[in-house]
Amino acid sequence: IYKSLKGDANKVWYERGEELVKAIRKVIIIYGGKPVVQVSDTFENVSKADFIIDWGYHLTFYPEDGSKLIIPSKIVEERSESELPEDIETWRPAEKEKTRTEVGILHKSLKKESVKDTTISKILLKHISKNNLSVSFKECPYFQSWICNGGANSTEFTFTESKKPVFEKNWDGIGIELGSSALDHNGNTDPEVTISFNLKPGESYTNFIEIKVLDDEEAKKLEKEIRDFQTAS
């Protein structure tokens, strides 16, 4: 239960105030054959007034040299409005261990499909030696892919008192961010997605994310579908 955080100072901060939203998470893990992880989050407005749910997810995957995050989008932008890198899909190790490099790419006009009265998009994480993965998620206004590497023992983030580096290992990762808003970024969302996340009292909204292991043939098929969509006029 998420509360207003206002009121009785004798209570721990997250127990203060009136109830606003109830969040229920359901996780299903399917074993046998090719593993599947399904996560559904239901947000219910339990207050007496309208409430805008502002949700977001950050999914980080194993970074392998040459692995690719392939997104079925028509529009791509560097999130800070800088020039797009030449390769926005492929993870490579840092050239300098102590220098952390992070690139975020906004994706708009994603390929969509209808599944059980729900509109979803599906992306591909293509590995070299590890399992290939598909990630399916409900239509949302904000979607970003990101690639990060390096930063071990750098002074970018340090502990206040000791001044020692926070990261003793590289901040290596490849992944995605998606949300009902631009999260903590610059408000740049997809104008094609106009879903309202304003819930009336008693109303609820359910998110759904599925991560599935693919064999080589399934990965090839999904990649072809994405490439065809990317290049279609």
Side-chain angles (χ1 to χ4, degrees), residues 161-178:
E161 294 182 0
S162 66
K163 305 301 181 184
K164 290 183 178 180
V166 172
F167 296 111
E168 296 180 354
K169 297 181 180 179
N170 282 339
W171 186 347
D172 292 343
I174 184 170
I176 59 175
E177 290 184 358
L178 57 153

Side-chain angles (χ1 to χ4, degrees), residues 58-61 69 125 143-147 173-177:
H58 184 108
L59 283 69
T60 305
F61 302 106
L69 196 56
L125 177 61
F143 184 89
Q144 176 195 180
S145 62
W146 66 273
I147 293 174
I174 184 170
I176 59 175
E177 290 184 358

Side-chain angles (χ1 to χ4, degrees), residues 30-202:
I30 303 173
Y31 293 98
K34 296 184 287 292
V36 178
V37 177
Q38 297 174 337
V39 179
S40 63
D41 290 324
T42 298
F43 307 101
E44 179 186 356
N45 182 358
V46 294
S47 72
K48 298 178 181 179
D50 289 9
F51 190 89
I52 297 175
I53 52 170
D54 190 16
W55 55 264
Y57 298 87
H58 184 108
L59 283 69
T60 305
F61 302 106
Y62 179 82
E64 182 184 25
D65 191 0
S67 56
K68 290 181 178 291
L69 196 56
I70 305 174
I71 314 295
S73 57
K74 292 286 191 182
I75 300 172
V76 292
E77 304 170 6
E78 204 279 335
R79 75 177 179 202
S80 60
E81 300 181 358
S82 299
E83 185 177 350
L84 276 172
E86 185 175 334
D87 185 349
I88 63 172
E89 295 182 339
T90 310
W91 188 88
R92 300 293 185 190
E95 294 181 3
K96 297 179 180 179
E97 289 286 297
K98 280 194 173 183
T99 302
R100 187 179 71 87
T101 301
E102 181 175 349
V103 176
I105 304 298
L106 301 181
H107 296 262
K108 301 177 182 179
S109 298
L110 271 67
K111 182 177 184 292
K112 303 176 181 67
E113 57 184 286
S114 295
V115 178
K116 296 181 180 179
D117 300 323
T118 299
T119 302
I120 69 163
S121 294
K122 186 182 295 185
I123 69 168
L124 172 65
L125 177 61
K126 187 178 179 182
H127 273 130
I128 304 302
S129 62
K130 305 289 183 180
N131 288 319
N132 300 307
L133 301 176
S134 69
V135 184
S136 303
F137 50 92
K138 291 182 71 172
E139 181 180 25
C140 55
Y142 186 82
F143 184 89
Q144 176 195 180
S145 62
W146 66 273
I147 293 174
C148 188
N149 59 28
N153 297 308
S154 73
T155 57
E156 182 182 10
F157 300 106
T158 59
F159 291 103
T160 303
E161 294 182 0
S162 66
K163 305 301 181 184
K164 290 183 178 180
V166 172
F167 296 111
E168 296 180 354
K169 297 181 180 179
N170 282 339
W171 186 347
D172 292 343
I174 184 170
I176 59 175
E177 290 184 358
L178 57 153
S180 60
S181 70
L183 309 177
D184 58 347
H185 301 300
N186 58 5
N188 191 353
T189 56
D190 189 341
E192 293 182 8
V193 182
T194 57
I195 302 171
S196 173
F197 295 100
N198 182 58
L199 300 181
K200 301 290 183 182

Side-chain angles (χ1 to χ4, degrees), residues 8-33:
D8 193 345
N10 294 319
K11 292 183 178 181
V12 66
W13 63 271
Y14 54 81
E15 291 183 351
R16 298 173 189 166
E18 63 175 317
E19 296 183 352
L20 300 176
V21 176
K22 178 193 291 184
I24 299 175
R25 168 161 290 181
K26 181 178 180 180
V27 179
I28 298 175
I29 301 175
I30 303 173
Y31 293 98

